[in-house]
Amino acid sequence: MKNNFTLCGSIVCWGLLFSTPSLARTFVYVSEADDGTIARYTLDEENGALQLSGRTNANGKVMPMVVSPDKRHLYAAIRSQPLRISGWRIDSKTGALTPTTETPAAASYPYISIDKKGRFLLAASYDGGVAHVYRINKSGIVASPCIAEYQTGHAAHSIITDATNRSVYIGSLGTDRVLQLNLQSDGKLTPIAAGFVKTAEKNGPRHSVLSPDNRFLYNIGEMGGVITQFKRLRDGALKKVADYPSAVAEKYQLQHGVERPAGFSDTTPRIWAADINITPDNRFLYVSERTSSTVSGYRIAQDDGRLTLTGTWPVEKQPRGMAVTADGRWLVVSGEKSRVVSSYAINTQSGELVHAGEAPSGRDANWVTIVSY
C-alpha cells in the first residue's frame, strides 16, 4: 500500500505541475485622449478576455505611450497645454500606475519611443517638424530640457530604434520620406548617408515597424495606404524592396487621403491608415485603416520578407491604435469612435483574426500599449 500511495502521490504532483494555470500577467493600457485618462485592462492569455481594472488620470490630452525596456515604467506624451511627458511606475502584480515624472515637453508629440537600453526617450513632433531626444536617469525620470533636436521636415509622425540600438528611423508624413539616422552614445542624431529614403509620392509615411530579425522595415502611408518594405543594410541605411497597395481602398471605394490638420472637415471617404504591427515570430503583419474601420493582415515570406495579403476584418470604429502581445497570440485594437476596446485571437497558421473579448473604453481611445510579466 505504501508503494501504491507513493506512486499515486507522484502522479497527482505531476498532474498539478502541468495543469497549474500560467502565472503570467498581461496588462493593456489604452490612452483615452478626450477624457485625459489611461485605462488599464487585464488580458486573460488563455481566452483573450479583457477586464477593465481601473483608470489613471493623466491631467490632459494623453496620446502616445511607451513602456521602458525593463517593464518598470510607462511614459506618455500629453498634447494639451502645458505640453509635457508624464511617467508612472508599473506595479508588476496589479498593473497599477504610480506617478514618477512630469517633464516639460519642447513640442507636441504624436509618437514617443525609448531606445533599447532605456537611456533615451525619443519623440517625433508633427506640428514642429522635429525629433527630440530626452535623457532618462537610472530612476526612470525623464530629464528636461531635451539633449538633442533634429529637423525632420513637415509632419514627423513616428520614431523608432533598431535592434542594435544604433539606428533611428522617422516617418515624415509631409515629405514622403523615412529618415535614417545614427543614434550616438550621447543621444545626438546624425544622418546615415543622405539621411532619408523616399516612399511613394503623397503616401504620407506614418508608422514603421522593424522585423524581429532586424532585416526589414515596413512603413504604412496614412494618405496612400501603401505599405513600403525596405531592406536594412549593414550601416543602417534603407533600400526600398517593394510597395504593397491599400488592401481596402477599392473595396470601400476610398479616395486618396489628404493631410488632416486640426479642424479638418471633409465628407469624402478617403484612405486614412493608422497603425502597423508585426508578430514576434515574424510571420504576420497587420495594418489598421480608420475610414473603413478595418485591420488587414499579411503573411511575411521568411526568405525575403515580402508580404501576401491574407484577409481584412472589421474592428472598432476608426481604429487608431493596436498592439500584439509578447506571445503573438492576441491583437488588441482601440477605436477613436468606439466605446469598447477589443482583443482578437491570431490564428498562428493563417494569421486570421477572430474577435475574442472586449471591455469599455473612454472617449477618443487611441494608443494601445501591452506589457507582460
Side-chain angles (χ1 to χ4, degrees):
M1 291 294 293
K2 182 177 179 180
N3 290 339
N4 287 341
F5 178 80
T6 301
L7 177 61
C8 289
S10 298
I11 292 174
V12 170
C13 287
W14 278 99
L16 289 173
L17 177 63
F18 287 102
S19 63
T20 301
S22 170
L23 296 179
R25 297 176 300 280
T26 296
F27 304 112
V28 177
Y29 300 95
V30 176
S31 55
E32 301 168 324
D34 284 352
D35 290 336
T37 53
I38 297 173
R40 181 178 77 256
Y41 305 86
T42 55
L43 174 69
D44 189 322
E45 293 194 2
E46 295 299 315
N47 58 25
L50 282 169
Q51 181 177 353
L52 178 63
S53 302
R55 285 186 165 91
T56 298
N57 193 348
N59 298 307
K61 192 176 183 67
V62 56
M63 296 187 75
M65 300 184 295
V66 64
V67 171
S68 60
D70 61 9
K71 303 180 183 181
R72 296 177 60 190
H73 300 274
L74 175 75
Y75 301 94
I78 311 301
R79 302 190 69 190
S80 55
Q81 296 293 337
L83 301 173
R84 59 199 186 279
I85 298 168
S86 296
W88 296 266
R89 182 177 296 107
I90 303 173
D91 186 316
S92 61
K93 294 182 179 179
T94 67
L97 302 176
T98 301
T100 58
T101 184
E102 190 92 343
T103 304
S108 174
Y109 304 126
Y111 200 107
I112 60 174
S113 62
I114 296 178
D115 79 304
K116 299 299 185 289
K117 296 182 179 180
R119 298 183 303 160
F120 305 116
L121 184 143
L122 300 90
S125 174
Y126 185 103
D127 300 328
V130 295
H132 289 140
V133 181
Y134 296 83
R135 192 177 299 280
I136 302 174
N137 70 19
K138 293 182 179 179
S139 299
I141 306 301
V142 178
S144 185
C146 61
I147 59 173
E149 177 175 297
Y150 192 91
Q151 300 295 320
T152 62
H154 176 54
H157 219 312
S158 62
I159 182 166
I160 61 173
T161 54
D162 83 307
T164 70
N165 212 43
R166 295 194 300 266
S167 304
V168 169
Y169 302 103
I170 298 173
S172 180
L173 183 147
T175 63
D176 291 321
R177 295 176 174 182
V178 174
L179 276 58
Q180 51 190 33
L181 308 172
N182 287 308
L183 176 63
Q184 306 292 347
S185 59
D186 60 358
K188 299 294 191 298
L189 299 173
T190 57
I192 298 172
F196 66 89
V197 285
K198 295 284 290 182
T199 65
E201 186 178 358
K202 296 184 179 180
N203 192 41
R206 183 179 166 91
H207 290 182
S208 299
V209 66
L210 282 154
S211 60
D213 59 14
N214 212 37
R215 291 193 300 154
F216 301 102
L217 181 142
Y218 303 90
N219 175 272
I220 179 66
E222 176 176 318
M223 300 180 296
V226 175
I227 301 171
T228 307
Q229 177 191 355
F230 298 97
K231 180 179 181 181
R232 185 178 177 278
L233 306 180
R234 182 171 297 181
D235 64 352
L238 299 175
K239 181 180 180 181
K240 187 174 178 179
V241 175
D243 281 335
Y244 306 91
S246 168
V248 297
E250 183 176 354
K251 180 179 180 180
Y252 291 91
Q253 298 182 322
L254 305 180
Q255 301 299 309
H256 197 281
V258 295
E259 283 195 54
R260 298 173 183 246
F264 174 84
S265 178
D266 183 0
T267 58
T268 304
R270 296 184 183 278
I271 298 171
W272 197 18
D275 209 358
I276 184 167
N277 272 226
I278 195 168
T279 55
D281 62 5
N282 197 41
R283 297 187 65 187
F284 303 107
L285 179 145
Y286 299 95
V287 295
S288 63
E289 200 288 319
R290 285 173 282 185
T291 301
S292 61
S293 294
T294 58
V295 167
S296 298
Y298 298 79
R299 182 183 298 277
I300 303 172
Q302 297 305 293
D303 54 350
D304 59 9
R306 290 182 179 267
L307 305 179
T308 301
L309 180 67
T310 58
T312 296
W313 304 273
V315 294
E316 283 51 58
K317 189 172 183 180
Q318 206 165 294
R320 176 164 181 151
M322 59 182 182
V324 177
T325 55
D327 61 8
R329 296 176 58 204
W330 310 101
L331 178 74
V332 179
V333 183
S334 71
E336 293 173 297
K337 293 187 176 180
S338 173
R339 296 314 298 264
V340 298
V341 58
S342 292
S343 59
Y344 295 84
I346 299 174
N347 185 304
T348 56
Q349 298 302 312
S350 68
E352 179 184 5
L353 298 181
V354 177
H355 187 270
E358 65 180 40
S361 67
R363 295 178 301 157
D364 194 12
N366 55 85
W367 206 269
V368 179
T369 301
I370 301 177
V371 60
S372 294
Y373 297 93

